[in-house]
Amino acid sequence: MGKLYLLPNVLGETEFTAVLPLKVTDTLKKLRVFATENPKNTRRLLKKIDKGIDVDQLVFLDLNEHSTSREIESCLAWLEKEDVGIISEAGCPGIADPGAELVDLAHAHSYTVIPLVGPSSILLALMASGCSGQHFSFNGYLPVKTPERVKALKAYERQSAQEKRTQVFIETPYRNLKLFQEMLAVLSPFTMLCIACDLTTEKEYIKTLSVQAWQGKLPDINKRPAIFILYAAHRP
């Protein structure tokens, strides 16, 4: 029986040696089968890590948001014979990325699951935000339509104030500015708002201000991978 390795990936245009531990790169070199969100980019990463890797001799199984249950189950046939690695497009598999269903199946069939250490934009943003890391929620994407999104933002803000809970969100990069502007329009002036973009890269940007202090300032976050964090328990 093989083992299922959960392999972190770089978050952007970053030198892999700066963010991926040796254990991760050594494991990547040894594995022959990968369940991956983006096979093309996984091949590119492997060649960066070791130019001697013959990617044409490797097996790449599609594991993305469009994968059916049957396609995910088919990965188990490989685990019966050898180790398999799950690797997402960026960051850690299974955290706001595909992977959890295959991991669940692996547990159900008594395969060993091994998570490896690597960068997570969610945790890095939370660490750098200055907001509470003792009580927080990752809420993924907000509703796309404005009325529902405004309603959700206000509900999350109330929960944050009542429970001293930090609220963490992501957004499709081309909608970043629209979300930011709506946050400034509907949230309390005293709510703390952190924007974290391009984490671990040379273009990294992290800033936390009150909604009031953000007014009139337009951060350069358009079409950049970003994490949004709000914390309403803070008061002046």
Side-chain angles (χ1 to χ4, degrees), residues 202-221:
E202 292 183 357
K203 298 185 293 181
E204 182 176 88
Y205 173 88
I206 307 170
K207 196 172 189 66
T208 303
L209 294 171
S210 68
V211 168
Q212 186 176 51
W214 274 115
Q215 297 290 346
K217 299 176 181 177
L218 192 65
D220 178 20
I221 60 175

Side-chain angles (χ1 to χ4, degrees), residues 5-10 16-28 86-87 91-93 114-120 123-124:
Y5 287 88
L6 306 183
L7 302 161
N9 199 347
V10 295
F16 72 87
T17 55
V19 293
L20 298 181
L22 187 59
K23 175 70 173 178
V24 174
T25 54
D26 282 348
T27 303
L28 282 165
I86 299 180
I87 185 165
C92 299
I114 302 175
L116 297 184
V117 175
S120 165
L123 290 181
L124 290 171

Side-chain angles (χ1 to χ4, degrees), residues 25-211:
T25 54
D26 282 348
T27 303
L28 282 165
K29 292 176 187 178
K30 294 175 183 176
L31 291 174
R32 197 181 73 87
V33 182
F34 295 91
T36 173
E37 190 175 6
N38 189 317
K40 181 180 178 180
N41 286 349
T42 300
R43 290 187 182 95
R44 187 180 296 121
L45 174 67
L46 290 169
K47 295 300 287 186
K48 281 184 179 180
I49 290 172
D50 185 347
K51 292 181 179 179
I53 294 176
D54 186 356
V55 294
D56 293 329
Q57 298 300 312
L58 304 179
V59 176
F60 296 95
L61 310 171
D62 285 320
L63 183 67
N64 54 56
E65 61 185 280
H66 304 296
S67 297
T68 65
S69 296
R70 181 173 293 182
E71 288 170 336
I72 295 170
E73 288 174 6
S74 69
C75 297
L76 293 179
W78 292 96
L79 265 177
E80 290 177 8
K81 301 177 288 186
E82 57 189 298
D83 295 341
V84 174
I86 299 180
I87 185 165
S88 64
E89 179 71 357
C92 299
I95 307 297
D97 268 320
E101 285 188 59
L102 180 52
V103 172
D104 183 46
L105 280 172
H107 284 302
H109 289 80
S110 300
Y111 290 104
T112 300
V113 176
I114 302 175
L116 297 184
V117 175
S120 165
S121 59
I122 297 165
L123 290 181
L124 290 171
L126 181 61
M127 288 164 58
S129 69
C131 303
S132 174
Q134 298 296 323
H135 195 195
F136 63 92
S137 294
F138 173 66
N139 302 295
Y141 293 92
L142 290 164
V144 174
K145 294 183 179 179
T146 298
E148 288 87 349
R149 188 164 55 243
V150 169
K151 184 178 179 180
L153 279 171
K154 290 183 176 179
Y156 284 128
E157 183 181 42
R158 283 194 301 272
Q159 185 185 50
S160 177
Q162 293 166 0
E163 302 179 8
K164 297 185 178 179
R165 180 194 296 265
T166 299
Q167 308 283 18
V168 185
F169 311 93
I170 53 177
E171 182 53 280
T172 303
Y174 71 86
R175 293 197 187 110
N176 281 347
L177 287 176
K178 183 176 181 181
L179 174 59
F180 174 74
Q181 291 165 343
E182 286 183 344
M183 285 180 156
L184 297 191
V186 305
L187 297 177
S188 161
F190 304 114
T191 290
M192 303 304 294
L193 177 58
C194 174
I195 311 294
C197 286
D198 291 314
L199 292 165
T200 75
T201 74
E202 292 183 357
K203 298 185 293 181
E204 182 176 88
Y205 173 88
I206 307 170
K207 196 172 189 66
T208 303
L209 294 171
S210 68
V211 168

